[in-house]
Amino acid sequence: MARLQLVFKPSDFPPSDYPGTPDASTRQAVQDLFNHMFPGNANPEIPGKSAAFATVARDPKLAMRLIQLSDYIVREMPWTSQQKAVKELAVQTLNVHFKCHFSFQSHMRGAEAAGISMEQQACIPFWKTANVFDDEQRLVIEYTFAVCSGEVSDELFKRVVKQYGEQGALEFTMAISWWSLWAMIINATGTEHDFGYGKKKSA
C-alpha cells in the first residue's frame, strides 16, 4: 500500500495532510500540470501504471519540472529516443539493481515491444552467463549495474565511449540516473499497482 496519499486527478489536490491552504499559484500549478500531461482532456487522470507521477504531483511545481525534463529525456535526447531497445534494457537492469518491482513490471511490455524479450528481461541477473545477449547488450547491462553501484572503471567507461561516443556515454549515464531516481522514489513511497502479471486466465 502506498505510504502517501497520491494525486491522480486535480480534485485529489490538496491531499488531506497538506500543510495549510494552497495559494492561488499552487492551485494554478495543479491545473497547468494536468493540462500539460493530458492536453484537451476534460477529465484528466493519471493511470495506476504511472502512479509514480501521482506521487510527485503532491508538489505540482516540482512535478511539472520533472515531467518537462522527462519529456526531453524520453522524446528528444538522442541516446534514449534513438536507442529504444538498449534504453529499455538499461531501465530494466537498474530496476533489478534497485529491486523496483513496480517499475520493472511497468516496463515489461514496452521493453518487449522495443525488442528486449521477456526471456532476456528475466535473464538480466544472470547476464554474465546467459547466452541471450549480444555484445552491446552485455555492455549496457554491465555499465548500468556499475553506474548504480558507483563503481565505473576507466576501462569500462572507455568501452562505452567506443560504442556510443562521448556524448552518447553522457546521455546513457543520464538515462540511468533518471530512471534510478524514479525507482528510488517508488521504493521509498511504497507505490503499488496491479499490472495483472501472474494471474491465471479464465478457462
Side-chain angles (χ1 to χ4, degrees), residues 66-126:
L66 289 172
I67 289 170
Q68 289 171 334
L69 182 55
S70 178
D71 289 343
Y72 173 74
I73 291 174
V74 175
R75 300 173 186 171
E76 298 181 45
M77 194 167 75
W79 194 88
T80 50
S81 62
Q82 299 170 15
Q83 308 268 355
K84 293 184 179 180
V86 290
K87 181 264 287 185
E88 289 294 341
L89 181 59
V91 172
Q92 292 300 62
T93 299
L94 68 89
N95 284 331
V96 169
H97 173 84
F98 288 108
K99 300 180 177 64
C100 187
H101 306 300
F102 176 102
S103 189
F104 191 94
Q105 290 183 78
S106 74
H107 280 269
M108 284 174 67
R109 295 300 182 193
E112 184 180 36
I116 305 301
S117 70
M118 291 295 186
E119 180 184 14
Q120 287 175 311
Q121 294 178 62
C123 286
I124 289 172
F126 318 105

Side-chain angles (χ1 to χ4, degrees), residues 22-29:
D23 59 20
S25 67
T26 301
R27 290 191 176 279
Q28 184 60 51

